[in-house]
Amino acid sequence: MTIGISGPVDLNLIACDLGTVDLPDTNGFPLVSHLVNALLKRGYKVIAYTNSGHIEEPVILRGTNITVCIAPTKPQPGRRFFRYEIQELASLMQQHPADVIYAFWSYEYAWAALNSGIPSIVSIHDIARKIFFTQCDVFRFVRLLMNKVVTWKARHLVANSSYTYNQLSASLKEKSVIINNFFTPDLEQKVNKPLRKENVIVSVTNGFNTRKGIPMALRAFARLRKDFPALEYHLLGVDMEPGGLANTYAMQHGLEQGVTFIGPLGHDELIQKVANAKVLLHPSVEESFGMAVLESMVVGTPVVGGNKSGFVPFLLDNGKAGVLCDVSSPDHIAAAVAKLLTDDAFATKTADGAYRFVQDNFSEEVVIGQHIKLYEAVRSLYRSEGKAAPVIEAKAY
C-alpha cells in the first residue's frame, strides 16, 4: 500500500536521503514528518504532499520508498481562500497518486486531497470555531469557512483527541474516529538529560494571543520573581523572538525582567532546552491536544497546564501527571509553578508519573497501528464498489 501524507512536512526531519543538499523551506510541523518516518520504518511506500513559499514551480524529491511533492504558494493566501494552494497540491496528488491520503488539518491540505479524487482521510487538529472566537479576524474567518466545507465534504474524519471529538457535531461524529497524536521513540535519545536542571522555566508556543496565554504567563512570572529572584523564563516559538510580539508586550507592561525571548528553534535544540528546564509552563486556554506538553512529559520536565484547557487535563492524567491550575489567573499560575520549584520530591514524582503515562498511551508503537488499520479499511472500502462504509467505533486510544 502506498500512503499519501498531505500537510506541512518538515523536510529536515525526514529520516532518509532525499537526493539534494538544498532542501526548500516548507511550513513544517514535526508530527507530520514523524508520521512519514514511522510508516517508512514499517516498510510502507509514502508520498508526502506539502508546499513552500520559496519555490515558483513544483519540486519532486525522491528517496528510498518516499516521494515528496512540493507545491508553490503565493503571498496572502487567505484573501483567495487558498484556491491557488489547493489547486497546486491537488494537481500533484493526481500526477503522483497514492492508494489513500491522510491529510493534516481541515484546511488547504485536506481540501486538496478531497479534490484529488483519491480516497482521503481528514485529520482534525484544532477547533476552528474556538480559534475564531479568540482570534476574531478575517484570516480566521476564512479558516472557519474552510473547515466547514472540508468537514462536510470529507467521508472519513480523525479527531486527534477525545476533546476534539467531543467538539464535533453529531453528524461529524458519525464519520469520525479518535487517534491520538504520538511521540517518536527516538525523542529521548535526542536529549542529554541534565544531572541538575537549570534554574529556568520554559514555554513553547507558536503565536502571541490571548488563546496562547503568554500575557498571563508573563504576569505570573513577575509574581514568581519576588520569591525566586534568580529564576529565568525562556520563551520559545513563533512571536517569542527578540523584538517580537511577546517581547514588545513585556516591555510595554514592565514584565521583561528575567525573561529571555528566544523565538523559533530547530526541534532538537528546542527539546533540549525543555529537558534542561525545571518546569514547562503551558498557559494556553484551549488545546485540541498539546504536543509541547506531551514532549515535555517524555523528556522528564514536569508541566503546569490549564485545568480547563481542552485536552491538557486529560493529557496530564487529570493532575496525576502534571499540575493543573486556572491559567486565567497569574496568581494561580505562579502558585502552581512554585509548588514544583519548592518541592524536589514532588517534582520528581510528577515527572516520573508523566513519563509512565505517556509511554502507555501516546507512544508511536501504540498509535501507528491504529493509523495503518484505518488506512487499510478506507482503501478496502473504495475498492469494494457498492458496499457500505465500515462502522469504526469512536474511542479514545
Side-chain angles (χ1 to χ4, degrees):
M1 176 169 58
T2 300
I3 301 167
I5 301 296
S6 178
V9 179
D10 187 335
L11 300 181
N12 294 305
L13 293 180
I14 298 298
C16 69
D17 183 5
L18 293 174
T20 181
V21 176
D22 298 322
L23 298 174
D25 289 334
T26 56
N27 297 318
F29 183 71
L31 182 63
V32 185
S33 299
H34 295 332
L35 177 57
V36 170
N37 290 337
L39 295 171
L40 291 172
K41 186 163 52 177
R42 287 159 177 80
Y44 290 93
K45 293 183 179 180
V46 177
I47 304 177
Y49 310 101
T50 192
N51 53 21
S52 171
H54 299 272
I55 58 175
E56 295 183 357
E57 299 290 336
V59 172
I60 309 299
L61 306 175
R62 290 183 172 86
T64 304
N65 282 342
I66 184 172
T67 301
V68 180
C69 302
I70 310 171
T73 67
K74 290 184 177 180
Q76 299 180 318
R79 293 187 176 184
R80 297 174 278 99
F81 275 80
F82 290 79
R83 289 190 184 93
Y84 176 79
E85 288 71 22
I86 292 168
Q87 178 180 335
E88 291 295 310
L89 282 166
S91 177
L92 285 176
M93 292 170 183
Q94 291 166 344
Q95 294 171 40
H96 304 272
D99 293 318
V100 62
I101 296 176
Y102 187 80
F104 278 79
W105 279 274
S106 52
Y107 307 111
E108 67 272 22
Y109 297 107
W111 200 327
L114 296 174
N115 283 0
S116 73
I118 298 170
S120 298
I121 304 160
V122 174
S123 178
I124 304 174
H125 283 258
D126 60 26
I127 311 301
R129 179 185 72 258
K130 287 184 174 288
I131 295 175
F132 175 66
F133 288 151
T134 56
Q135 298 172 239
C136 192
D137 55 36
V138 174
F139 179 78
R140 287 298 172 184
F141 182 66
V142 169
R143 301 296 264 180
L144 177 63
L145 294 180
M146 292 178 72
N147 172 79
K148 291 281 188 182
V149 172
V150 166
T151 54
W152 174 76
K153 291 178 64 174
R155 191 173 178 181
H156 308 282
L157 299 173
V158 169
N160 71 336
S161 70
S162 56
Y163 170 77
T164 301
Y165 175 81
N166 288 332
Q167 303 306 306
L168 301 177
S169 66
S171 61
L172 294 185
K173 286 179 179 177
E174 290 179 358
K175 54 183 180 179
S176 300
V177 297
I178 301 168
I179 301 180
N180 288 316
N181 292 352
F182 66 93
F183 67 91
T184 62
D186 65 342
L187 181 60
E188 293 177 82
Q189 300 168 11
K190 292 181 178 180
V191 301
N192 296 314
K193 290 191 177 180
L195 296 176
R196 184 178 180 85
K197 295 274 192 178
E198 296 176 359
N199 195 23
V200 169
I201 66 172
V202 63
S203 289
V204 179
T205 187
N206 288 319
F208 181 80
N209 51 61
T210 54
R211 178 172 170 266
K212 294 297 185 180
I214 295 300
M216 287 298 174
L218 287 167
R219 295 182 183 279
F221 180 68
R223 287 159 170 75
L224 279 166
R225 287 270 292 179
K226 296 176 182 179
D227 295 325
F228 305 92
L231 185 67
E232 298 179 26
Y233 185 23
H234 292 182
L235 288 174
L236 312 175
V238 176
D239 293 339
M240 305 298 124
E241 64 276 2
L245 294 178
N247 193 174
T248 300
Y249 176 90
M251 294 188 67
Q252 289 173 343
H253 295 84
L255 300 171
E256 74 275 15
Q257 293 298 316
V259 183
T260 301
F261 299 90
I262 297 175
L265 293 174
H267 187 257
D268 290 358
E269 187 178 0
L270 182 148
I271 201 64
Q272 184 63 59
K273 287 190 175 293
V274 171
N276 292 342
K278 287 186 173 180
V279 176
L280 175 89
L281 171 57
H282 194 73
S284 176
V285 300
E286 193 266 344
E287 286 283 1
S288 63
F289 189 86
M291 284 302 297
V293 173
L294 176 65
E295 293 184 341
S296 183
M297 296 166 77
V298 174
V299 300
T301 298
V303 177
V304 170
N307 57 10
K308 297 180 180 179
S309 299
F311 192 62
V312 171
F314 302 93
L315 189 53
L316 294 178
D317 197 16
N318 295 309
K320 298 176 185 177
V323 180
L324 297 172
C325 68
D326 178 2
V327 291
S328 67
S329 167
D331 288 335
H332 287 191
I333 296 173
V337 174
K339 187 176 182 180
L340 290 167
L341 295 177
T342 56
D343 190 337
D344 290 343
F346 174 71
T348 299
K349 179 182 177 181
T350 300
D352 289 346
Y355 180 81
R356 291 191 297 271
F357 183 68
V358 296
Q359 291 289 341
D360 290 342
N361 294 279
F362 304 102
S363 68
E364 178 184 302
E365 194 62 35
V366 170
V367 175
I368 292 302
Q370 299 161 15
H371 275 271
I372 293 170
K373 181 180 178 181
L374 178 60
Y375 303 159
E376 291 176 342
V378 170
R379 183 181 64 160
S380 296
L381 167 64
Y382 280 82
R383 285 185 170 183
S384 303
E385 295 182 2
K387 292 186 178 181
V391 177
I392 307 173
E393 181 184 359
K395 58 182 290 189
Y397 293 99

